[in-house]
Amino acid sequence: MEEKKLDVKSIIGFVLIFGILLFMMWQNQPSPEELKAQEVEKQAQIEAQKKVNATALSETKVTSAVDFSKPKDSTQVAALQSKIGDFAYSLATTTATDSEVLVESDLLALKFNTKGGHLSEVKLKNFVNFDSIPIYLVKDGNSVFNINFQTTDNRTLNTKDLYFQPTVTKSGENTVVSMKLKTAEDKFLEYNYVVKPNDYMVDFTIKSQGLESAINTSNPINLDWTQKTIRHDQSISYENRYTRLTYQTDGDVDKLSQMGDDDEVEEDVSWLSYRQHFFSTILVSDKAFKEVSITSKNLVEDEAIDSVFTKQFSTKTALALNGASINNNLKLYYGPTDSEILKNYDDNLVESIPFGWGIFGWINKFLFIPLFNGLSSFLPYGIAIIVMTVLIKLAMSFVQYKQYLSQMKLKVLKPELDAIREKYKDNKMKAQQETMALQNKAGASPLAGCLPAFIQMPVFYALFMFFPTAFALRQKKFLWAEDLSSYDVVAELPFNIPLYGDHVSLFPILAAIAIFFYMKLTTGQNQMSAPQQEGMPDMAKMMKYMIYFAPIMMLIFFNQYASGLSLYYFISNLISIGILLVIKNFILDEDKIHANIQVQKAKPKKESKFQKKMKEMMEQAEKQKQMQQKNKGK
């Protein structure tokens, strides 16, 4: 541990601060009248303390419920209210002891704290973390929900510091929890919660009654909600990568930074999601918040030390007023980040899941998710991944065929292309024109080989986003993998390797081996079909190194990724190798391709507009080059 020392400036600073504190204490010592009022207040607290009792409720567990009765002495009441105001009187006549109300549904166990009136603990009853500990979204003070406002006598109060009176009732199958901050029986600020069976969504209303003379509504009444996201996954770095503050404005979903700290000020925000990979806390408003200040702070700097929380999210916004009263209808979602659950709610909450932007998200939502859900409904999850991979590769096999056919055509043309380059070695522009003309006649354009690769990119990226967000894979076993949504472990290391980790995962090793052999086959074919030209030896070296570089990157990068994703890449590359060998040995014949090319060359070939334009541009460039050379000669 680093030894901390105080320098001279620090000592002087502490002396000054101590002196200022002493001066403030001397200036603010109470007068005799204030001492008398404090004694009255103390007696009022003692009387209120005696009124504490516990209330038992049908089908509801209550850890403690406090009777917030006021002192019966009207003289004491008048003295307190005239001295410290309605809200301070409310504090003075309640016990300064935290108490909690526990309400359970089929899915949630919720604790409401009388101090602050909000949830002090949220447990998801049907889930555990990687270490078999129940999933808590709120616990041990990681979440603070506060309303900040000014009173008419110019004091600033925070509800997180005030004590609410709890009431729990039943409304049909629902449990209603009312938390009231009272200044009188008919004057209060209320948090009203409706907990429904088999539902992760809690209806939440904030309203005031009869406080027009107590709250200064000319100033904003601010909601301040801060929460540290608790670590639940085996790999805190992997979980942190998918832990983000997401929000919706005017139907558009956006998010704060994935890894670093970030802050934004947004308008017309209808919901905010504190997503912590596979679980989310979402605040939904019936009427969009006009302006919201949101921040995200990364709490993981050293994984060995920062192992409890991943990020800290905060939201600040002004509550809407109905005249001089507060009346805000909100909802709170505490549950899985599961598309099958979130799609059942309105407000577009399913978009809080990072399916990928644009076409990638569409592929996931309308193809891969339904396909995987269908397969996993009757197959083990690992087998469902394999079957899904096979189906995707078979559907894309025509793309691989087109790509390989283009490479074979270029291989057949290679001697002629080399001859053109040799013939026009002193005129590169002419060599390019003749090369393009030959490739056009033979139907062997290099672009034909690139196009299939571009077609596969959306599928590749969509699957890259699908597996890390597939809630269905969470804690599902396959072979040696204990959890397909996390990394598999076949060996623990006694030390930590930077970027790699402190363990060895087998699925990334298998995927890296499969990628190596696939690249060996395809790179060898590319080198055979590539014509010799200047700079090609360096290109060949780069391709040779890439054969080894890509598998190594796979090995390192995916060691802490979801084993389901590594399983997909392993099977995918095995199938690609098989398809390539079948195409090479049983479908395509080099002699037939050569004969077909000769036939194509003999036919008159009409140039497209693009080809004509390219030809004209190259000719103009050649003329400009010749003019420059003549000018230099002069």
Side-chain angles (χ1 to χ4, degrees):
M1 180 181 293
E2 181 183 359
E3 185 180 358
K4 297 182 179 179
K5 299 179 180 179
L6 291 175
D7 57 14
V8 176
K9 292 182 180 179
S10 299
I11 295 173
I12 294 173
F14 280 120
V15 170
L16 288 173
I17 292 171
F18 183 68
I20 292 170
L21 288 174
L22 287 177
F23 177 75
M24 291 176 64
M25 291 172 64
W26 177 75
Q27 284 287 96
N28 293 297
Q29 57 183 331
S31 63
E33 293 81 6
E34 289 173 331
L35 288 172
K36 184 175 181 181
Q38 289 177 6
E39 182 64 27
V40 173
E41 179 181 342
K42 183 177 179 181
Q43 291 297 324
Q45 289 182 350
I46 294 173
E47 290 296 323
Q49 189 93 19
K50 296 178 182 179
K51 300 293 183 179
V52 177
N53 58 20
T55 305
L57 295 170
S58 175
E59 301 183 20
T60 304
K61 300 177 183 177
V62 181
T63 56
S64 62
V66 184
D67 180 4
F68 291 86
S69 301
K70 299 177 181 177
K72 295 180 181 179
D73 191 332
S74 59
T75 304
Q76 292 178 353
V77 172
L80 280 171
Q81 286 183 327
S82 62
K83 180 65 181 174
I84 58 178
D86 288 343
F87 280 105
Y89 165 69
S90 178
L91 279 174
T93 57
T94 61
T95 66
T97 304
D98 292 355
S99 58
E100 292 179 324
V101 175
L102 173 62
V103 174
E104 294 192 21
S105 68
D106 305 297
L107 305 176
L108 302 170
L110 308 172
K111 284 186 180 178
F112 301 86
N113 200 308
T114 55
K115 185 176 182 180
H118 200 60
L119 286 153
S120 58
E121 189 172 288
V122 176
K123 181 174 77 171
L124 306 185
K125 298 172 71 173
N126 297 333
F127 302 100
V128 295
N129 69 5
F130 72 99
D131 208 20
S132 300
I133 297 173
I135 292 289
Y136 288 92
L137 299 184
V138 177
K139 187 176 175 63
D140 297 332
N142 75 307
S143 180
V144 177
F145 190 94
N146 177 55
I147 293 179
N148 173 281
F149 59 91
Q150 282 192 332
T151 62
T152 51
D153 56 352
N154 295 323
R155 288 176 297 111
T156 300
L157 295 180
N158 294 285
T159 57
K160 65 183 178 64
D161 301 323
L162 306 178
Y163 290 84
F164 288 66
Q165 177 180 345
T167 304
V168 184
T169 58
K170 298 292 290 187
S171 177
E173 294 183 344
N174 301 334
T175 302
V176 180
V177 179
S178 171
M179 287 284 185
K180 290 183 179 180
L181 179 64
K182 292 185 175 182
T183 63
E185 283 301 317
D186 59 346
K187 297 180 180 180
F188 52 82
L189 174 69
E190 181 183 20
Y191 293 168
N192 188 273
Y193 307 86
V194 179
V195 183
K196 294 161 282 190
N198 292 306
D199 199 339
Y200 291 105
M201 189 74 77
V202 177
D203 291 344
F204 176 40
T205 304
I206 303 173
K207 62 182 180 180
S208 64
Q209 178 177 306
L211 298 180
E212 293 81 1
S213 61
I215 298 179
N216 183 359
T217 55
S218 62
N219 291 322
I221 299 172
N222 297 313
L223 184 153
D224 189 350
W225 177 38
T226 302
Q227 186 164 309
K228 293 180 180 179
T229 53
I230 303 171
R231 180 243 188 117
H232 297 135
D233 290 357
Q234 188 175 11
S235 171
I236 190 169
S237 61
Y238 182 62
E239 179 179 15
N240 199 27
R241 190 176 295 117
Y242 295 96
T243 298
R244 300 182 77 171
L245 193 158
T246 310
Y247 54 93
Q248 178 172 274
T249 57
D250 289 329
D252 296 326
V253 177
D254 207 345
K255 55 190 78 66
L256 293 187
S257 174
Q258 185 176 24
M259 297 305 295
D261 298 347
D262 196 9
D263 62 90
E264 294 286 349
V265 176
E266 298 289 344
E267 296 180 350
D268 298 322
V269 177
S270 54
W271 55 257
L272 300 114
S273 172
Y274 291 179
R275 187 184 77 237
Q276 44 198 104
H277 198 187
F278 285 128
F279 299 95
S280 294
T281 302
I282 306 176
L283 176 65
V284 185
S285 178
D286 282 1
K287 293 183 179 179
F289 298 117
K290 288 185 177 180
E291 185 175 279
V292 180
S293 174
I294 48 179
T295 61
S296 173
K297 182 179 180 181
N298 182 31
L299 301 180
V300 181
E301 295 181 2
D302 186 335
E303 295 179 24
I305 300 173
D306 309 321
S307 58
V308 178
F309 302 107
T310 52
K311 285 187 174 70
Q312 177 175 296
F313 299 133
S314 64
T315 298
K316 294 182 179 180
T317 187
L319 293 177
L321 293 176
N322 183 12
S325 300
I326 303 171
N327 192 356
N328 285 255
N329 295 319
L330 310 172
K331 287 179 284 189
L332 285 164
Y333 175 87
Y334 295 100
T337 313
D338 185 354
S339 61
E340 291 300 297
I341 294 175
L342 289 175
K343 72 180 182 182
N344 295 321
Y345 295 103
D346 297 330
D347 305 302
N348 204 29
L349 296 185
V350 71
E351 292 299 324
S352 65
I353 302 175
F355 296 116
W357 57 272
I359 188 174
F360 311 115
W362 285 86
I363 292 173
N364 273 328
K365 285 183 284 187
F366 299 107
L367 179 59
F368 293 150
I369 291 175
L371 175 61
F372 183 76
N373 289 342
L375 292 172
S376 60
S377 64
F378 63 92
L379 292 173
Y381 286 89
I383 301 298
I385 291 175
I386 294 173
V387 173
M388 178 178 172
T389 308
V390 172
L391 294 175
I392 292 171
K393 293 303 295 184
L394 289 177
M396 299 297 293
S397 60
F398 78 95
V399 176
Q400 195 169 357
Y401 170 79
K402 288 287 186 182
Q403 190 173 11
Y404 194 78
L405 176 61
S406 177
Q407 293 173 2
M408 288 286 285
K409 286 181 178 180
L410 289 173
K411 179 184 175 184
V412 170
L413 287 176
K414 184 176 180 297
E416 296 179 59
L417 294 171
D418 288 341
I420 291 173
R421 286 175 174 82
E422 180 64 28
K423 181 178 179 180
Y424 299 103
K425 60 182 179 182
D426 296 328
N427 190 340
K428 292 182 180 179
M429 190 67 67
K430 184 65 175 178
Q432 290 178 356
Q433 290 176 353
E434 293 297 322
T435 297
M436 289 178 62
L438 177 60
Q439 290 172 344
N440 183 40
K441 286 183 178 181
S445 172
L447 292 176
C450 297
L451 186 60
F454 281 114
I455 293 174
Q456 293 182 80
M457 285 301 293
V459 175
F460 175 86
Y461 183 77
L463 286 166
F464 184 79
M465 296 301 297
F466 167 77
F467 284 100
T469 59
F471 186 86
L473 292 178
R474 186 177 181 273
Q475 297 184 344
K476 300 300 188 300
K477 298 181 179 180
F478 181 66
L479 299 178
W480 58 85
E482 293 294 321
D483 184 351
L484 284 169
S485 71
S486 184
Y487 56 79
D488 61 294
V489 180
V490 293
E492 296 280 358
L493 299 176
F495 48 82
N496 183 72
I497 301 174
L499 300 178
Y500 186 74
D502 57 359
H503 65 277
V504 177
S505 298
L506 183 54
F507 276 128
I509 295 174
L510 295 175
I513 294 172
I515 286 176
F516 172 78
F517 283 107
Y518 176 69
M519 293 190 69
K520 192 82 171 175
L521 286 171
T522 56
T523 304
Q525 180 66 26
N526 287 333
Q527 289 176 343
M528 290 174 65
S529 62
Q532 295 297 322
Q533 56 181 311
E534 292 183 16
M536 184 53 68
D538 293 334
M539 181 64 70
K541 285 182 181 179
M542 189 177 72
M543 293 299 295
K544 183 179 179 181
Y545 293 143
M546 186 60 68
I547 296 175
Y548 301 96
F549 180 73
I552 290 173
M553 290 302 296
M554 162 67 75
L555 195 65
I556 295 173
F557 186 68
F558 281 81
N559 194 60
Q560 298 193 63
Y561 251 70
S563 54
L565 184 60
S566 299
L567 171 62
Y568 164 77
Y569 283 125
F570 170 54
I571 300 300
S572 177
N573 282 285
L574 282 183
I575 297 171
S576 294
I577 291 171
I579 292 174
L580 195 62
L581 292 174
V582 170
I583 292 172
K584 181 179 179 180
N585 296 317
F586 300 102
I587 298 177
L588 294 180
D589 185 286
E590 190 171 322
D591 294 333
K592 289 182 179 180
I593 291 173
H594 185 271
N596 186 52
I597 286 176
Q598 300 308 317
V599 173
Q600 293 295 325
K601 285 166 60 178
K603 293 179 180 179
K605 189 75 172 181
K606 185 178 179 181
E607 291 182 334
S608 65
K609 290 182 179 180
F610 174 76
Q611 289 169 336
K612 287 180 179 180
K613 190 67 176 176
M614 287 293 296
K615 185 177 180 180
E616 290 174 2
M617 290 173 62
M618 292 173 69
E619 288 174 351
Q620 289 176 2
E622 180 64 21
K623 288 178 181 179
Q624 289 177 359
K625 183 179 179 182
Q626 291 175 357
M627 289 294 294
Q628 289 174 357
Q629 289 175 348
K630 286 181 180 180
N631 292 332
K632 285 182 180 179
K634 293 179 181 180

